[in-house]
């Protein structure tokens, strides 16, 4: 990847779904190594991680692309679902009330070769600003273990350890995190 390459942040589109699936799988396999063993990573990819087409339809899911294709993805939601792709959620996904509920930060994944290059920060700033503009004053997410330090750097605080047991019996540890959303220009607390 050249230093002169230009990157574009844009809303995800339905036609991005196949490439998003590939990006999510590559990211989860590479960036979760050392935090989750192979069985847990693969179970998460099959049963939890994936594209949530509702986020795309709502216009709250974003991608960063370059000449090589999609490099990062992530977004926010005004819906009750806290985490997981289409295969992980129920059919009903009601809207949240911004006066009392926290907007959801959802499905951040970065291509392994693009990790620690600021793509997550761009996606977080865009998501936080959009959630603020929609009236939300809190953000909540379900972090993977490798995501906890990243989200803590953005002011999120762990509120609960969660273990998701997927249909094949594998247990996947996550951390539920929350932060106040004070102003749209703040990507960090």
């Amino acid at each position: 990847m050249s230093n002169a390459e230009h990157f574009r942040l844009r809303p995800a589109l339905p036609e991005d779904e196949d490439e998003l699936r590939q990006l999510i799988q590559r990211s989860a396999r590479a960036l979760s190594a050392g935090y989750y063993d192979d069985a847990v990573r693969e179970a998460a990819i099959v049963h939890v991680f994936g594209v949530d087409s509702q986020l795309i339809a709502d216009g709250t899911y974003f991608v960063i692309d370059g000449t090589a294709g999609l490099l990062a993805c992530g977004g926010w939601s005004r819906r009750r679902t806290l985490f997981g792709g289409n295969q992980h959620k129920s059919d009903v996904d009601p809207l949240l009330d911004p006066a009392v509920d926290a907007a959801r930060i959802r499905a951040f994944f970065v291509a392994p070769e693009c990790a620690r290059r600021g793509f997550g920060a761009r996606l977080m700033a865009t998501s936080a600003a959009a959630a603020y503009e929609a009236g939300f004053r809190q953000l909540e997410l379900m972090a993977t273990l490798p995501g906890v330090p990243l989200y803590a750097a953005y002011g999120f605080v762990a509120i609960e350890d969660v273990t998701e047991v997927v249909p094949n019996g594998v247990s996947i540890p996550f951390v539920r995190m929350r932060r106040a959303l004070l102003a749209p220009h703040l990507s960090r607390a």
Side-chain angles (χ1 to χ4, degrees):
M1 196 170 308
S2 106
N3 288 337
E5 183 171 357
H6 294 282
F7 306 109
R8 177 176 63 140
L9 188 148
R10 62 172 174 81
L13 302 170
E15 53 266 29
D16 293 324
E17 287 192 26
D18 286 339
E19 194 174 355
L20 280 166
R21 272 191 261 312
Q22 293 171 23
L23 170 63
I24 290 166
Q25 290 174 10
R26 281 189 331 110
S27 178
R29 284 188 178 109
L31 300 179
S32 293
Y35 293 89
Y36 298 125
D37 66 27
D38 290 345
V40 172
R41 285 195 311 270
E42 293 307 313
I45 288 168
V46 169
H47 299 287
V48 181
F49 301 154
V51 176
D52 182 339
S53 55
Q54 184 66 61
L55 296 174
I56 295 172
D58 287 347
T60 61
Y61 199 59
F62 306 99
V63 297
I64 296 176
D65 62 15
T67 56
L70 299 185
L71 305 173
C73 57
W76 72 283
S77 180
R78 61 176 53 92
R79 296 188 180 271
R80 182 112 4 239
T81 296
L82 185 57
F83 69 108
N86 291 338
Q87 78 278 26
H88 184 258
K89 57 188 241 182
S90 66
D91 292 336
V92 179
D93 199 358
L95 293 171
L96 298 167
D97 178 354
V100 295
D101 296 317
R104 308 317 195 200
I105 293 296
R106 298 284 312 278
F108 274 54
F109 294 94
V110 177
E113 67 275 12
C114 295
R116 290 173 272 302
R117 293 189 52 199
F119 293 138
R122 283 186 66 192
L123 290 164
M124 182 62 72
T126 299
S127 298
Y132 187 90
E133 188 173 303
F136 289 92
R137 297 302 177 261
Q138 295 227 10
L139 297 175
E140 189 170 315
L141 59 84
M142 188 69 79
T144 60
L145 297 184
V148 170
L150 169 72
Y151 295 123
Y154 291 112
F156 284 87
V157 175
I159 57 173
E160 176 185 19
D161 290 334
V162 175
T163 300
E164 180 82 9
V165 180
V166 295
N168 67 353
V170 173
S171 296
I172 307 169
F174 294 100
V175 179
R176 189 174 184 161
M177 302 180 82
R178 183 176 279 213
R179 71 165 263 205
L181 183 57
L182 304 174
H185 65 279
L186 296 177
S187 62
R188 297 179 189 257

